Amino acid sequence: MARLWVLSLVVAVLALGVSAQQVQSAPPVYALQNLNKTPSGLTAQLVLQSGSGPYGADIKTLDLLVEYQTQSRLHVKISAPDRWQVPPSFIQHHHHTDPPVPIPPEQLEYALSISENPFSFAVHRKSGTTLGEQLWNTTDQPFVFSEQYLSIGTSTVKNPNIYGLGERVHNLRLDPSGSVNVMWNADKGNTPDTNLYGTHPFYLELRTAGACSSAHGVFLLNSNAMDVRIGPSETILWETIGGVFDFYFFMGPTPEEVTRQYHRLVGFPYMPPYWALGWHQCRWGYEDIQQVRDVVSNYSHFGIPLDTQWTDIDYMRGYRVFTLDPVRFPTQEMQAFVAELHSRHQQFVPIVDPGVKIDPDFDAYISLNQSGMFIRGPDGKSALVGKVWPGFTIFPDFSHSDIDNYWAKQIELFYMNGIPFDGLWIDMNEIANFCNGPCDDAPSTADATVSSSKRQLSGFDPNNPPYLPGDERLEFHGIAPDSWTSHGLYYDSHDLYGTLETNSTRRALEKIRGKRALVVSRSTFSGQGHIGAHWLGDNESTWKSMFLSISGMLAFNMFGVPLVGADVCGFNGDTTEQLCTRWMELGSLYPFARNHNSKDQRPQEPYVFGTKLAAISRNVLLNRYSLLPFYYTLFFRAHTQGGTVMRPLFFEFPSDKSGFIPYIDRQFLVGPSLMASPVLDQDATSVSAYFPSGIWYDYYTGKAINGDQQFVTLDAPIDFLPLHVRGGFIIPKHMNPQLTTWETRQQPFELLVALNTTGHAGGELFVDDGESLTSISSRQYLHTEYQASSTQTTGNLSSRILANSYPPANLMKLGRITVYGAPDRVCAVNVNGRPTLDFVFSAENRVLKVNNINTPITQQLSVVWTSQC
Ligand SMILES: *[C@@H]1O[C@H](CO)[C@@H](O)[C@H](O)[C@H]1NC(C)=O
Ligand SMILES: *[C@@H]1O[C@H](CO)[C@@H](O)[C@H](O)[C@H]1NC(C)=O
Ligand SMILES: *[C@@H]1O[C@H](CO)[C@@H](O)[C@H](O)[C@H]1NC(C)=O
Ligand SMILES: *[C@@H]1O[C@H](CO)[C@@H](O)[C@H](O)[C@H]1NC(C)=O
Ligand SMILES: *[C@@H]1O[C@H](CO)[C@@H](O)[C@H](O)[C@H]1NC(C)=O
Ligand SMILES: *[C@@H]1O[C@H](CO)[C@@H](O)[C@H](O)[C@H]1NC(C)=O
Ligand SMILES: CC(=O)N[C@H]1CO[C@H](CO)[C@@H](O)[C@@H]1O
């Protein structure tokens, strides 16, 4: 049993000279006591011996819990009774089995070492049974656990490659030379290098040495305002102003495995409706329903794909949520408009804010007031008042266990009496508040009828914490931290609000529509992706903002929120034709792809700049629609196994030796196989693109490039989006893409087969009805694997059907296969044992196209080609 916990207890001697007299200035020292081994870990207590943190109020006795939860996931929690903790609903699958079965020690990929006195701990990757690489070691960093200030840190390697810790507008790789990564949800536009709308205290670290690499991840489940300081001297220091230390360590060892292990904990990404992957159009400042109607008809006039039309707050009556402006967006016309969209298989998504206008004649206010399920002020009873678009508002308390009785009911009333929307866009939910804390001139409000859950504040002032992450008051553009929710003090639970709102909103939509819902939230917390989507907020119509959107999306894919995108063509500021062109190209690959604009900016729908941009938009969006089977299959993978849809190059090539790969954030991969090298600079007509090793094919022509771990200059005239397919992969597509995802789905499929240097390729296709809630859990879908192999002279492609329980798939046909890297001549092709002449071989790039295959996708497929006739 001794080896079961891979635990070494090192008894350190108290450093000479640390005596009781010096306690005031000396850092706190805790000693481990009452160690208790459990079947899959240990418990112990940490008892303060001497010293004190910088702000006093040190907690004397802490509880240590260690759990070897899975082979690759270690849980280390340091807490104290009666302290705030993130509710368990934010975490999934605590153990690899339920009830937990101890994991044989030799199977654990990590080793934990604890120093008893002074307490510290270290985590190593195990190599066999011995300690390998050190991933974490708290010994030399200040360990403080006091009422309103906690710190813990680790030493790390020189110039570490660290990613994550959002939400921040920043390059993909975090600056290791002294960056402060602040987390506290805040409405601050897309200001670079500051805390923004969401909190995801997770980082992934990539270590490389020669041709070897490994990645690990660290997650702190904590929702209080915090700083994570990286560097300057090979350290990572976490500082938070509340809660507990609830750490999870993920062993990877590949970056994609790290994210899968993290997503298993916070919840695999939810499965979006198929149409959510279509193209979306929105703006703030549509004046009336006629203008919105004109947008939709302009799209069809210019032949540009459009799945979903959105409206921002303009549609509301005086910015009251769940209302329609009777003059500009009258109910009957809105209903007719949405009915028309639906008849053309298009969707409608309106915005909803959490703030409910204080207005004694407004139903949504009257019933929120009556329900008592609102955020309460510092007295713990009366409704907290903020000021948002409609003026003074109160806010639903999404942590209230009965909140659906208010929120879902409002959504349902709006749906039934207003407009049958298909999804909801929830904004301003950090919570944003124009008063920056209490509104001086706020009207008085009713008391909550629910029993108050206000707790004793043990003498601390939540509005004035002694340590301020980001050096900024917590109520900046928000409500005061001494407000109350059913979870307790807002100071503690504030970061959870957006994700809780997403959850309640999604439940409402699923109940009303009986189908998968799209809920796009600005504010998020760890676990958001399990419930809904995110857009990157109020960016700017600048080249820099467009470039940084890539890193934003890559980070959110790591956070488990793959349905993410930025406002295409930019939100604040006027876009230009050239910027909007390049952004439409890049945006055509965003997992969540929406053109959105601010009020009073020049219009930027893709047809307003004339026929050239309209034609480019049409082409890149049709290409997106042709790729949707690929995207949708990637979402299925992420939903069922965790992991990313869009990922950095280093995820697939962690051992790349060039030294460039950890930094690359101007290019990205969709899945493992489609590499995008978009133009991100004004007036550029070429891009310098990095090619990791392996064979790559020009996506459009099949021309091969040998990946040489070097940058290659690619031509990229204004109408061109450079894309490459990685040899070794098969990408499922639709032929003849149409203007909606629904129409596109009626078209035959195509397989793009990109053979690697050994003549192999593999891929998969997932097809279901695209909207039902249970298709995956009840396996009502088609899931097929494709394999291709070839020699210099012959090759073949075959399928293996893994699940075939979606009858409509019998009517869906495979129309064409395209093979990149075919033999240098092809003279005969067989489809399912019968020769066909319906193929085209182009010797120039060795591309074979076999047309009119006409086999149902539910049927076993065999295509054989040869150069021997
Ligand atoms: C979201 O709601 C579901 C019920 O629909 C619940 O099981 C889950 O715990 C909730 N998630 C969070 C983060 O509260
Ligand atoms: C942690 O770091 C300290 C100080 O650098 C070192 O003495 C100790 O051996 C390390 N712990 C382990 C288990 O490697
Ligand atoms: C529709 O397109 C026409 C032609 O580009 C343009 O004049 C008009 O403003 C557009 N309407 C809207 C609402 O975008
Ligand atoms: C709000 O609720 C209180 C009772 O909790 C009631 O006295 C008051 O009239 C209500 N206000 C409105 C506008 O309904
Ligand atoms: C080629 O692809 C096959 C199947 O996808 C894979 O197993 C193999 O490792 C790849 N070989 C090379 C050299 O990339
Ligand atoms: C497919 O091609 C590979 C490589 O040429 C060969 O080994 C295999 O037998 C072929 N399979 C079929 C079904 O023709
Ligand atoms: C990178 C970038 O352009 N960021 C801008 C996004 O928008 C906000 C608000 O307008 C600006 O403050 C940022 O500089």
Side-chain angles (χ1 to χ4, degrees):
M1 290 297 279
R3 278 183 53 225
L4 189 62
W5 297 283
V6 200
L7 173 75
S8 62
L9 290 177
V10 184
V11 182
V13 179
L14 267 178
L16 226 74
V18 177
S19 66
Q21 282 76 6
Q22 287 173 295
V23 158
Q24 289 316 89
S25 54
V29 170
Y30 285 86
L32 183 129
Q33 296 179 0
N34 303 330
L35 174 78
N36 224 319
K37 289 181 178 178
T38 65
S40 56
L42 62 89
T43 62
Q45 285 184 321
L46 307 178
V47 180
L48 185 65
Q49 304 297 295
S50 64
S52 168
Y55 309 106
D58 298 81
I59 295 174
K60 305 265 180 309
T61 306
L62 306 173
D63 297 315
L64 171 69
L65 169 71
V66 171
E67 292 177 300
Y68 304 120
Q69 289 190 334
T70 74
Q71 276 167 252
S72 53
R73 183 171 89 209
L74 168 67
H75 182 208
V76 178
K77 181 172 178 178
I78 302 169
S79 60
D82 301 325
R83 280 186 73 80
W84 161 255
Q85 299 190 23
V86 175
S89 58
F90 280 82
I91 291 296
Q92 323 285 322
H93 315 293
H94 247 292
H95 290 271
H96 63 302
T97 56
D98 190 21
V101 171
I103 303 164
E106 61 277 9
Q107 287 179 14
L108 297 178
E109 292 161 17
Y110 48 81
L112 175 76
S113 318
I114 294 182
S115 265
E116 268 197 344
N117 189 358
F119 167 76
S120 71
F121 74 96
V123 180
H124 286 72
R125 191 183 292 288
K126 238 174 38 177
S127 30
T129 51
T130 58
L131 291 194
E133 193 189 1
Q134 176 178 290
L135 306 180
W136 181 271
N137 184 341
T138 68
T139 305
D140 295 330
Q141 299 301 312
F143 176 71
V144 179
F145 202 122
S146 61
E147 186 62 57
Q148 271 183 297
Y149 178 78
L150 290 76
S151 80
I152 192 166
T154 178
S155 46
T156 180
V157 296
K158 210 173 157 149
N159 196 18
N161 300 307
I162 296 176
Y163 308 88
L165 300 174
E167 178 174 11
R168 267 156 49 93
V169 170
H170 194 277
N171 288 41
L172 179 64
R173 183 178 179 275
L174 302 180
D175 177 3
S177 64
S179 67
V180 185
N181 300 270
V182 185
M183 281 171 266
W184 175 251
N185 296 357
D187 168 24
K188 293 189 187 174
N190 275 23
T191 315
D193 295 309
T194 188
N195 54 311
L196 295 181
Y197 320 101
T199 288
H200 298 267
F202 165 77
Y203 74 74
L204 181 151
E205 185 176 346
L206 174 72
R207 302 233 177 123
T208 58
C212 296
S213 72
S214 64
H216 64 275
V218 178
F219 173 49
L220 173 60
L221 178 62
N222 179 298
S223 62
N224 287 89
M226 70 175 94
D227 279 336
V228 184
R229 294 171 191 275
I230 308 178
S233 54
E234 289 143 55
T235 55
I236 303 173
L237 181 68
W238 299 72
E239 296 172 284
T240 175
I241 63 172
V244 301
F245 285 134
D246 199 356
F247 278 104
Y248 293 86
F249 300 88
F250 309 93
M251 294 300 121
T254 68
E256 186 67 10
E257 279 162 352
V258 171
T259 61
R260 277 196 224 121
Q261 290 156 6
Y262 172 55
H263 301 169
R264 187 171 286 280
L265 181 72
V266 296
F268 288 158
Y270 99 113
M271 190 68 191
Y274 197 94
W275 61 264
L277 304 181
W279 179 251
H280 304 265
Q281 176 64 50
C282 187
R283 87 160 291 170
W284 178 21
Y286 286 136
E287 276 158 25
D288 54 27
I289 176 62
Q290 191 50 46
Q291 208 179 19
V292 179
R293 226 186 237 130
D294 289 348
V295 171
V296 176
S297 50
N298 271 352
Y299 259 96
S300 70
H301 174 76
F302 285 94
I304 302 171
L306 175 68
D307 255 61
T308 306
Q309 179 64 43
W310 298 47
T311 52
D312 205 317
I313 53 176
D314 314 289
Y315 75 86
M316 299 175 187
R317 176 170 67 90
Y319 303 129
R320 287 168 187 80
V321 289
F322 307 120
T323 66
L324 296 169
D325 184 285
V327 177
R328 295 174 303 111
F329 294 87
T331 307
Q332 284 204 341
E333 284 187 51
M334 285 294 275
Q335 287 173 342
F337 169 65
V338 174
E340 205 178 306
L341 287 176
H342 287 168
S343 73
R344 293 199 302 246
H345 304 286
Q346 291 172 310
Q347 293 74 227
F348 176 69
V349 174
I351 196 170
V352 175
D353 290 347
V356 178
K357 183 181 175 71
I358 298 181
D359 171 354
D361 296 321
F362 173 35
D363 289 347
Y365 172 71
I366 295 169
S367 75
L368 180 55
N369 172 54
Q370 267 165 11
S371 75
M373 295 188 282
F374 39 70
I375 296 194
R376 286 162 278 133
D379 64 2
K381 289 170 77 179
S382 57
L384 181 278
V385 177
K387 194 190 252 176
V388 211
W389 300 115
F392 292 117
T393 60
I394 62 174
F395 302 94
D397 174 7
F398 289 104
S399 56
H400 196 291
S401 58
D402 208 22
I403 191 62
D404 287 2
N405 251 335
Y406 172 71
W407 189 250
K409 201 179 273 169
Q410 298 308 312
I411 292 177
E412 190 169 353
L413 287 169
F414 188 40
Y415 187 94
M416 296 301 176
N417 305 333
I419 33 172
F421 39 84
D422 301 282
L424 287 170
W425 172 25
I426 54 176
D427 190 16
M428 305 295 281
N429 49 359
E430 292 71 32
I431 301 169
N433 170 24
F434 303 158
C435 294
N436 296 306
C439 300
D440 293 336
D441 44 351
S444 63
T445 56
D447 286 353
T449 49
V450 293
S451 65
S452 160
S453 63
K454 186 173 169 178
R455 74 167 156 92
Q456 276 308 109
L457 287 187
S458 55
F460 80 78
D461 176 3
N463 291 342
N464 294 292
Y467 177 81
L468 265 183
D471 281 327
E472 189 168 67
R473 291 187 60 83
L474 299 175
E475 69 269 28
F476 178 79
H477 233 247
I479 65 176
D482 64 355
S483 312
W484 293 90
T485 73
S486 297
H487 276 155
L489 197 57
Y490 188 69
Y491 174 88
D492 294 316
S493 63
H494 146 279
D495 280 348
L496 310 178
Y497 192 82
T499 290
L500 292 171
E501 184 190 4
T502 309
N503 210 10
S504 183
T505 306
R506 177 173 151 195
R507 279 195 299 263
L509 279 167
E510 287 184 352
K511 181 165 159 258
I512 299 164
R513 299 173 68 252
K515 294 175 191 167
R516 272 181 234 157
L518 174 64
V519 182
V520 181
S521 179
R522 192 169 74 181
S523 185
T524 63
F525 186 72
S526 303
Q528 169 72 20
H530 189 55
I531 302 169
H534 176 57
W535 98 102
L536 294 172
D538 298 348
N539 65 0
E540 201 151 83
S541 300
T542 58
W543 292 87
K544 185 177 173 198
S545 205
M546 174 170 73
F547 153 62
L548 289 170
S549 75
I550 297 175
S551 296
M553 281 179 289
L554 294 173
F556 269 91
N557 271 270
M558 295 184 209
F559 299 150
V561 194
L563 193 56
V564 63
D567 289 343
V568 174
C569 298
F571 180 71
N572 286 315
D574 284 337
T575 198
T576 63
E577 179 178 351
Q578 192 192 127
L579 174 63
C580 194
T581 304
R582 291 307 195 184
W583 214 326
M584 288 297 297
E585 291 168 2
L586 169 62
S588 75
L589 300 171
Y590 285 1
F592 169 62
R594 183 185 70 161
N595 178 317
H596 179 46
N597 195 1
S598 186
K599 203 178 168 73
D600 301 325
Q601 309 300 336
R602 71 179 292 185
Q604 62 183 34
E605 290 82 9
Y607 50 78
V608 299
F609 292 91
T611 51
K612 195 167 158 200
L613 176 43
I616 294 169
S617 300
R618 174 184 156 81
N619 286 342
V620 293
L621 292 180
L622 287 175
N623 180 54
R624 173 190 183 82
Y625 278 34
S626 76
L627 281 168
L628 287 183
F630 176 55
Y631 274 81
Y632 194 61
T633 302
L634 289 169
F635 269 95
F636 167 72
R637 254 281 137 214
H639 173 67
T640 51
Q641 296 182 0
T644 58
V645 167
M646 179 177 165
R647 59 189 75 148
L649 267 55
F650 81 78
F651 265 49
E652 292 295 323
F653 301 93
S655 304
D656 181 286
K657 287 192 299 259
S658 69
F660 295 121
I661 205 117
Y663 297 84
I664 290 176
D665 56 11
R666 299 174 68 89
Q667 294 170 264
F668 58 89
L669 287 160
V670 181
S673 51
L674 185 65
M675 183 167 74
S677 312
V679 173
L680 303 170
D681 296 316
Q682 189 169 354
D683 298 334
T685 52
S686 65
V687 319
S688 175
Y690 184 75
F691 281 82
S693 64
I695 189 159
W696 297 85
Y697 299 95
D698 180 298
Y699 170 77
Y700 309 97
T701 64
K703 185 175 163 53
I705 293 189
N706 250 316
D708 219 2
Q709 306 196 359
Q710 277 182 10
F711 285 89
V712 175
T713 300
L714 304 169
D715 275 347
I718 187 70
D719 59 354
F720 190 73
L721 168 64
L723 284 177
H724 289 83
V725 194
R726 181 178 170 195
F729 292 88
I730 298 177
I731 292 183
K733 299 178 65 179
H734 269 302
M735 293 170 61
N736 320 325
Q738 305 289 308
L739 300 187
T740 62
T741 55
W742 188 87
E743 289 169 289
T744 305
R745 275 169 63 93
Q746 317 306 313
Q747 301 298 319
F749 287 89
E750 169 176 7
L751 297 173
L752 176 54
V753 178
L755 296 167
N756 65 11
T757 45
T758 59
H760 293 96
E764 60 177 342
L765 172 67
F766 169 81
V767 179
D768 69 352
D769 67 6
E771 61 179 13
S772 69
L773 294 170
T774 56
S775 59
I776 294 175
S777 56
S778 63
R779 290 178 68 84
Q780 303 279 300
Y781 56 75
L782 172 83
H783 187 199
T784 305
E785 260 181 14
Y786 295 99
Q787 292 288 339
S789 47
S790 77
T791 62
Q792 307 284 26
T793 52
T794 65
N796 57 65
L797 169 73
S798 62
S799 67
R800 196 159 74 91
I801 295 171
L802 304 174
N804 187 3
S805 324
Y806 177 55
N810 289 317
L811 302 173
M812 300 177 176
K813 300 272 169 64
L814 179 70
R816 177 164 69 208
I817 67 161
T818 299
V819 182
Y820 289 169
D824 45 22
R825 118 192 173 99
V826 172
C827 56
V829 175
N830 252 298
V831 174
N832 293 333
R834 285 211 298 272
T836 175
L837 293 175
D838 215 339
F839 69 90
V840 183
F841 177 73
S842 146
E844 189 192 351
N845 292 326
R846 295 180 20 209
V847 173
L848 168 68
K849 277 185 195 295
V850 185
N851 296 312
N852 285 313
I853 289 183
N854 227 13
T855 307
I857 55 170
T858 50
Q859 199 177 303
Q860 200 83 28
L861 174 75
S862 159
V863 180
V864 181
W865 57 89
T866 178
S867 61
Q868 315 277 293
C869 301

